[in-house]
Amino acid sequence: MGMGGLETYAVFFLTSVGIYAIVCLALNVQWGLSGQFNFGIVAFYALGAYTSAILTGPDSGGTYLGGFGLPLPIGLIGGMIVAGLLGLFIGLVCLNLRADYLAIATIGIAEIVRLFLKNEAWLTNGVRGIPGIPRPFFDSGYFELAYLALVLVLVVLVYLAIERARKAPWGRVLRAIRENEDTAAAAGKDVVGFRIQAFVFGAAIMGLAGGLYAHFIGFISSEAFMPEVGTFLIWVMLIAGGSGNNKGAILGALVIWIIWSGSEFIISQVLPASLTTQAGALRLLLIGVLLQVILLTRPAGLLSEERLYRTGRTAQADPKAHRREVR
Amino acid sequence: MTDLLQLTIYGIVLGSVFALGAVGLSLVYAILRFPHFAHGDFMTLGAYISLAVVTTFGVPPIIALPFGAAGAVLFAIAVDQTIYRRLRKTQPVILLISSVGTALILRALLQMIFGSETQVYQSGIQMPIRFGDIRVKPAHFMIVGVAAFLVLALHLFLQKTRVGKAMRAMSDNRDLAQVTGISVDRIVIWTWAIGIALAATAGVLLGMDTRLHPTMGWNILLPVFAAAILGGIGSPYGAIAGGLVIGIVQEWSTMVISPAYKPAVSFAIMVVMLLVRPTGLFAGRKV
């Protein structure tokens, strides 16, 4: 390999940031662009990971579904389709609900997906998990570097696609719906239709990120997909970076991942070995406190959303814009 | 038939716990206008403060309960005054996200102080009382009894006292209530006091029936939300009915599907309700 410990760690670190940046960009389509509250991110991520693992994985000897041995791109696309279908289902059922009800509904969906992955062992091998997920470029001896390159290319592609969608008429309609649903409807826009499109788009990209994670780590189990990291850390990233701003989404993923993994390092140095079980709780405390501090001090994030109109104010920058929903 | 009756009894016990949680959630939602995602973790907080009292002084959990409730209420008011109060001027979604932060902080603190393993108030086996083939634990009587007593007390409070009437007025129409001279800040404090005291009580009762765990409240947040929505947000009586319905249907569902999917049952009821009759059974706040 020829890479030292620090280089190996840097490559691992950047690949993780890249995967989280993709999830963060996806959440930005759903929340930043169209104001839809998805509290079940981890469900789409997990579905993408499992689908890609099952489609590409080696034969399990019949203990769980798998052994199709399909190529990596098919696995990733399959993951996107399955996650997108879950998004479509939620869209058709829940998207005419108010933002806060959608939050409760998506938490429920995520819980059901988690129970399903844990209990349906014929499909997912339950808590024992799926080992031996193919890692591309592994034979070349440069798996880590090559995979980092793949993830970074995908971050750029997803960024360009979302940025283009945001500036296109499609994105303008979404923001118009977010700012004032009634006006958009009066202008003849199919409000629910646009919302479903945005939700499914975001869900599919979350599925892609999940698939990338599975092939990066090579092993997944239902324990790997807990809402604390899979959902709430992503929210902290997007809010910290600046919701509505795609560069902010990537920056948020980088900054929060530095804090998150830095905290792991510091806690492991500071806490005696007997207290390492407390490290998880301490880091949980950290996300909670971080979230509150950001909301109190910088609610618009590091980079705020670019203004929609020169004089217009956006929902993120102007808290009163959504007042109508309160009533 | 015996099975059905036995499951119904379990359902009423569980439903009483849900109902106490849902009443508080519904009140907070109606008056502060956001779904309080930390409500389940305040249940856990009440249960654990009571555990500390139980283990320190060797008293039964029912004696420790008021201390657990008081501690949880003080913590909630402190969070409200330091964090939520500053965010009240923003959109309610920001308060929602902030309440998730509160939930994570509470759960992490409890796990650090009390550890992440399950604990019990009193070790040893409770001998169930037999009625023919039906078995009921003494704790079950206690849970339903305490819940019924508190529901009655809440009813009298909301109907007879000035503060109770002001709370109902504020949940109906905040602006109108303010014009008539009701102090919003005072009512907000009262809302937390009542809502969180009920939640903490629910946590202690749940701990008496089963075991304590740092995620116990988070795990029942979904059925509690389902109960509040089923009953109609803002309607305390609806929340009680919703809690009982969710509790009983969840237990009944185990005859047909795997018990692992119990949370899915409450979720399904909730979604159907939101689609068919979003105002809930008792037509609470307009959606």
Side-chain angles (χ1 to χ4, degrees), chain A residues 23-24 26-27 30-31 36-49 82-91 94-95 99-115 117 199-200 202-207 209-210 225-236, chain B residues 37 96-97 100 218 222 267:
Chain A
V23 189
C24 230
L27 180 64
Q30 293 177 339
W31 167 243
Q36 300 178 95
F37 217 95
N38 181 359
F39 251 163
I41 300 168
V42 70
F44 303 96
Y45 189 72
L47 278 187
V82 172
L85 285 176
L86 179 70
L88 182 64
F89 171 75
I90 294 179
C94 302
L95 283 193
D100 42 10
Y101 283 156
L102 182 63
I104 301 168
T106 45
I107 269 203
I109 288 275
E111 184 63 15
I112 291 169
V113 168
R114 194 176 69 77
L115 290 174
L117 294 174
F199 200 83
V200 172
I205 296 173
M206 287 170 188
F225 302 100
M226 300 305 272
E228 285 85 359
V229 178
T231 294
F232 301 127
L233 192 67
I234 312 288
W235 269 98
V236 175
Chain B
F37 271 89
L96 187 167
I97 298 171
V100 173
W218 177 256
L222 199 61
F267 175 76

Side-chain angles (χ1 to χ4, degrees), chain A residues 31 37 39 93 98 100-101 104-105 107 112 115-116 119-120 228 278 281-282 285 292 295 315 319 322-323 326, chain B residues 29 35 37 83 89-93 96-98 100 102 107-108 111-112 225 233 260-261 267 270-271 275:
Chain A
W31 167 243
F37 217 95
F39 251 163
V93 177
R98 242 173 27 171
D100 42 10
Y101 283 156
I104 301 168
I107 269 203
I112 291 169
L115 290 174
F116 180 81
N119 289 297
E120 304 301 319
E228 285 85 359
Q278 298 287 53
L282 203 56
L285 183 70
Q292 304 285 26
L295 288 176
H322 268 194
R323 261 298 161 84
V326 189
Chain B
Y29 207 151
F37 271 89
I83 302 172
K89 289 182 289 291
T90 64
Q91 25 167 341
V93 164
L96 187 167
I97 298 171
S98 170
V100 173
T102 308
R107 205 180 327 154
Q111 203 176 321
M112 286 162 69
F225 262 120
I233 286 290
Y261 287 108
F267 175 76
M270 181 181 81
V271 168
L275 294 175

